[in-house]
Every structure is written in structure tokens, then in C-alpha cells.
Amino acid sequence: MNATKENDKEKKQKKEQEKCCCSSSPLPPRRGDFESAGVKIAAYSLPWNRGITTNAVREKAALIGMSPDEAADWLKHMEIANWCFSDEQPVTGRNFGRSMRGWHRIQRKIILAKASREARRAAALERKRKSAARRNAYEVQRRREALKRVEMSAKPESWELCGERCAMFREGKCSKGRKIPPQLRERPVAPEECGQFKAKEVR
């Protein structure tokens, strides 16, 4: 019996806590710091005379999802456009939301286009970087192979084919100034295909 009474008390307490939580009005969503962004319509200005107030602009911007900076840019644009639509119709307290929505859509497209351009630019830079890395790796490999050919050319056995077949090979080296034997060049060839080759006379 005591257990059921305790359970009932706990349930009542939970319900009361829920009521308290629900009764307190939730804080409105944060709309950004419009004042620091410069969203302010002066009293007795053209938009103010047409029924557009600072609070109305802030509320509409928050409703549309505009950032404070975007709302400030819209105000600057409207000053330049003399608070008129492109068809010269005046922007008033009743229709200014249409202008803000259009501005917001265009800004979103500009931001998306900019992000797309930046993504393409980043991809192009990454391709260039990879291409440069491949070229560098290829150049390093070519240098290694060239050094290896030079090392191999220093060995007398690398010149045996030239010594056997070419008359231009005298005293252990090429008399035409070749430093690397034909079979060790970057594009290996037989000694007979060397530009300085001259066949030995057969006795």
C-alpha cells in the first residue's frame, strides 16, 4: 500500500514539474545581432514614411532566414534603388517582404555559385598539385636512372660490346667523346645503331 502511494506522489510531482516547464514561455529563437550589423531605419526617412520600420525589417529578415549582414546589405541596396522595385513601383511597409525574399534568393544563388567556383578552383589546384608531384617523381626517377647509367659507364665491362664491334673505341674509351655506352643510354640501342659507330675491319 505504501509503495502505491509513493508511486502516486512521484507521478504527481513529475506532472507538476512538466506543467511548470510548459507554462514558462520559451525564449524566442536568436535572430542575430541586427544592430551591430547596421540594420536601422531612421525616423522620418523615406522608408519610415512608407511604413517600413527597423523592427519590421528585423522580424521579416528572421522569418525569411536572412543573416543580419544580409539584411544590412539589402538596406544599402534599397537606398541605392531609392526604395523602388525594378519596375519603379515604390517599396512600402506592405510589400517590402517581397523585395527581401528576392534579395535573399539571389544572395543564396551567389553564395552557391561562389562555393561552386571555389570547389572547382580547389579541384583544379589539387589536379595541378598531383600532376606536379607526378612530374617531380618522374624527374627524380630519371635523375636516379641517369646517375645509375653514369656509374655503370665507369665500369670497363660496360664498354665490352663497343670494344668488340666499334673501330672508334680506342684505349678503353670512345674516341668520339661518348660517355655512356649505347646499351646503357636512356633509349638503349645496339653499338651498330650509335651515330658514331664505325665497324671494325675484319682480318
Side-chain angles (χ1 to χ4, degrees), residues 153 159 162 166 168-169 172-182 185-187 189 193-197:
S153 301
W159 293 94
C162 290
C166 185
M168 295 289 112
F169 190 77
K173 61 182 180 178
C174 180
S175 62
K176 291 290 187 176
R178 288 287 188 164
K179 302 292 182 195
I180 297 174
R185 292 178 191 161
E186 192 173 356
R187 292 188 176 134
V189 292
E193 294 175 31
C194 176
Q196 284 77 33
F197 178 78

Side-chain angles (χ1 to χ4, degrees), residues 162-170 197-203:
C162 290
E164 289 173 5
R165 303 178 190 176
C166 185
M168 295 289 112
F169 190 77
R170 300 182 193 126
F197 178 78
K198 187 175 180 183
K200 278 189 173 181
E201 293 178 14
V202 181
R203 293 183 187 170

Side-chain angles (χ1 to χ4, degrees), residues 9-203:
K9 281 183 182 179
E10 285 178 12
K11 286 179 184 177
K12 284 181 182 178
Q13 286 176 351
K14 283 182 184 177
K15 284 182 182 178
E16 285 176 12
Q17 285 175 352
E18 287 175 8
K19 284 179 184 177
C20 289
C21 292
C22 294
S23 64
S24 61
S25 59
L27 294 172
R30 188 173 176 187
R31 296 178 179 176
D33 195 1
F34 288 93
E35 286 180 19
S36 64
V39 178
K40 184 169 171 59
I41 294 177
Y44 305 108
S45 62
L46 177 63
W48 188 83
N49 288 331
R50 290 184 181 174
I52 304 169
T53 63
T54 304
N55 284 337
V57 170
R58 289 177 188 167
E59 287 171 10
K60 190 64 79 172
L63 185 69
I64 293 169
M66 290 175 83
S67 68
D69 291 332
E70 196 177 350
D73 289 341
W74 174 77
L75 285 174
K76 289 174 192 168
H77 168 72
M78 292 313 297
E79 288 294 329
I80 293 167
N82 200 25
W83 292 91
C84 290
F85 288 106
S86 57
D87 60 356
E88 299 300 321
Q89 293 296 316
V91 174
T92 65
R94 289 182 169 210
N95 64 11
F96 77 97
R98 184 177 67 164
S99 174
M100 288 182 84
R101 282 191 298 276
W103 179 264
H104 182 58
R105 272 195 305 274
I106 290 168
Q107 292 304 305
R108 198 166 44 210
K109 285 179 184 176
I110 289 169
I111 289 167
L112 290 173
K114 186 179 178 183
S116 175
R117 279 195 307 273
E118 287 173 0
R120 283 197 304 270
R121 192 178 301 122
L125 286 172
E126 182 63 18
R127 283 195 301 272
K128 282 183 183 178
R129 188 190 63 74
K130 285 182 179 177
S131 176
R134 279 195 299 270
R135 275 197 306 274
N136 288 342
Y138 174 70
E139 290 299 322
V140 167
Q141 183 65 26
R142 278 187 67 193
R143 279 191 228 113
R144 279 190 196 140
E145 289 173 2
L147 287 171
K148 192 174 179 182
R149 286 194 293 273
V150 170
E151 286 174 16
M152 297 278 293
S153 301
K155 298 176 182 176
E157 59 265 21
S158 298
W159 293 94
E160 283 180 0
L161 286 175
C162 290
E164 289 173 5
R165 303 178 190 176
C166 185
M168 295 289 112
F169 190 77
R170 300 182 193 126
E171 300 171 5
K173 61 182 180 178
C174 180
S175 62
K176 291 290 187 176
R178 288 287 188 164
K179 302 292 182 195
I180 297 174
Q183 74 276 8
L184 292 179
R185 292 178 191 161
E186 192 173 356
R187 292 188 176 134
V189 292
E192 291 81 6
E193 294 175 31
C194 176
Q196 284 77 33
F197 178 78
K198 187 175 180 183
K200 278 189 173 181
E201 293 178 14
V202 181
R203 293 183 187 170

